Each structure stands twice: as C-alpha cells, then as structure tokens.
Amino acid sequence: MGAKVSTVMSSGGATSRRGPPTDFAGPAAGRERRLDIHVFHSDAGELSSGRAWERSVWRDARVLIAECPAPQLPASIEAALRAVAADVARDRGWQGMGTVAFALDDRSGVFRVIGADAQPHSGSAVVSHDPDNAHALEMRIDGCVDRRLPCTRLLVCGATRGEALRRAYRALSEMPGPAGVDRAFLMNRIASRAYCSGLTGTRLDQAVG
C-alpha cells in the first residue's frame, strides 16, 4: 500500500490534549480511519513527532478508545503522517505541543488533514515522546447510565497490544460500582475477535454489529 496524501483542511479540529477527543464527529462509513499525530517543538527549536494514535472504538460519534501505536498501520503511511504533521507545525510556527488529525482511507492509503490544533504554553511540559516499544490504550467510561455524571478516563499500557488489551479488560471488570453503558460496551468490544485481530473504527462496527 503506497502512502498518498491530500492536505485538505476541514472546519473541524483536533483537540489540544492527548488521548481521545469526545466532541468530534465519527468516521465516515466504509474503511476510513481517524488518526492523530502529536508534534513537539522544544524551546531549543527541535521539532519531532510521536507515534500515531488511532481513535479505534467509537459509540454515538464519541471516541471511547484511542490507542498508540495504531494497529496494522503500515510503517510507510505512519512515516508520511508524521512528516506532514511536522510540516503543518512548522508552517504554523507552533511552539510546544500540538496535534494534527488525519482521515485515512484504509483501502487506498490516501489520507487528508482534517484538523490541527496547538496547545499553548506546553513547551516546558514536553519532556518525552510517545513510547516506541509499548502499546497504550486510553479509555473513556461513563460513571453510570446517567451520563450527567463525570466520566472516567483510564490509561492502560502493555509491552504488546495483546497485553494492553488483557489489562484493559481486567481493569474494566474490576472497576467498583455499577457497570455503565460505556463500560459494558467496551468490555464487549475488547473481548471481540475482530478487535483483537486489529480491526478498528467502522471496520470493527461492521464486523461485530
């Protein structure tokens, strides 16, 4: 799969914090994937980009799981995403940390920029990059069926994706209190053969139903 790029900007924007945004429209039908690249510009002028975060599990246009690195993402495409994200940060004169959001057609390898947002005054807070050898999942869990209550955000890491998924499922199952709708949904998704095999986004929804 070759990496092709269209840098068409949309009116939407990526959030200025790390992890899954919850106010961004869900992926389009088909095989489109949503990916975020975090860019770091140090006080010394060094610019670098982190591994790709994928908004891998959605529900009602809300991101419930984002994971890094994105599963089954070809290295050539990730490298192209990181290069484009760095170009966006350089062209806009970002200082500190920012996020560039992409939509990727998984079949053709064509991707486009759909949002870019800098995090002001974050330069001194950036001390490390996304891990190269570990896998991380950030999950959003509603406290209970009443969504007016605050939600919980849970970050789980593992040496491999399989280990991270096992830890995430165990953490969800051991959470105190009544199981909310998002918690039950996440446990179902994490335990599914489709998600464990690397399907994400709309591809996962089509496989699991």
Side-chain angles (χ1 to χ4, degrees), residues 39-49 89-90 94-96 126 129:
V39 182
F40 311 93
H41 196 179
S42 70
D43 294 336
E46 297 178 352
L47 193 150
S48 59
S49 57
R90 189 177 295 108
W94 284 359
Q95 297 294 323
V126 176
H129 301 286

Side-chain angles (χ1 to χ4, degrees), residues 55-78:
R55 311 173 196 181
S56 57
V57 175
W58 296 76
R59 191 176 194 217
D60 301 329
R62 295 176 299 125
V63 181
L64 297 189
I65 296 181
E67 59 179 300
C68 179
Q72 299 183 1
L73 182 67
S76 60
I77 291 183
E78 184 177 46

Side-chain angles (χ1 to χ4, degrees), residues 53-125:
W53 280 84
E54 179 165 6
R55 311 173 196 181
S56 57
V57 175
W58 296 76
R59 191 176 194 217
D60 301 329
R62 295 176 299 125
V63 181
L64 297 189
I65 296 181
E67 59 179 300
C68 179
Q72 299 183 1
L73 182 67
S76 60
I77 291 183
E78 184 177 46
L81 293 174
R82 295 175 70 171
V84 170
D87 286 342
V88 169
R90 189 177 295 108
D91 291 344
R92 296 191 175 194
W94 284 359
Q95 297 294 323
M97 186 170 70
T99 302
V100 181
F102 297 88
L104 167 70
D105 184 299
D106 196 51
R107 181 179 287 109
S108 67
V110 174
F111 59 86
R112 67 187 190 279
V113 177
I114 59 174
D117 193 18
Q119 182 173 321
H121 314 300
S122 61
S124 60

Side-chain angles (χ1 to χ4, degrees), residues 60-207:
D60 301 329
R62 295 176 299 125
V63 181
L64 297 189
I65 296 181
E67 59 179 300
C68 179
Q72 299 183 1
L73 182 67
S76 60
I77 291 183
E78 184 177 46
L81 293 174
R82 295 175 70 171
V84 170
D87 286 342
V88 169
R90 189 177 295 108
D91 291 344
R92 296 191 175 194
W94 284 359
Q95 297 294 323
M97 186 170 70
T99 302
V100 181
F102 297 88
L104 167 70
D105 184 299
D106 196 51
R107 181 179 287 109
S108 67
V110 174
F111 59 86
R112 67 187 190 279
V113 177
I114 59 174
D117 193 18
Q119 182 173 321
H121 314 300
S122 61
S124 60
V126 176
V127 294
S128 63
H129 301 286
D130 294 324
D132 289 330
N133 299 318
H135 200 93
L137 288 88
E138 185 176 345
M139 300 181 290
R140 176 190 188 278
I141 311 103
D142 280 336
C144 65
V145 176
D146 186 350
R147 288 182 177 170
R148 292 174 299 178
L149 296 179
C151 68
T152 299
R153 295 189 184 277
L154 183 65
L155 180 65
V156 179
C157 298
T160 63
R161 184 172 188 260
E163 182 178 55
L165 291 177
R166 289 191 295 272
R167 289 179 174 178
Y169 188 90
R170 184 168 61 250
L172 289 170
S173 66
E174 294 176 352
M175 286 182 65
V181 289
D182 284 344
R183 179 178 163 191
F185 178 84
L186 285 173
M187 292 180 70
N188 176 269
R189 281 293 189 266
I190 290 172
S192 69
R193 184 185 299 272
Y195 188 54
C196 290
S197 70
L199 292 183
T200 58
T202 53
R203 301 176 304 159
L204 174 63
D205 293 338
Q206 291 165 2

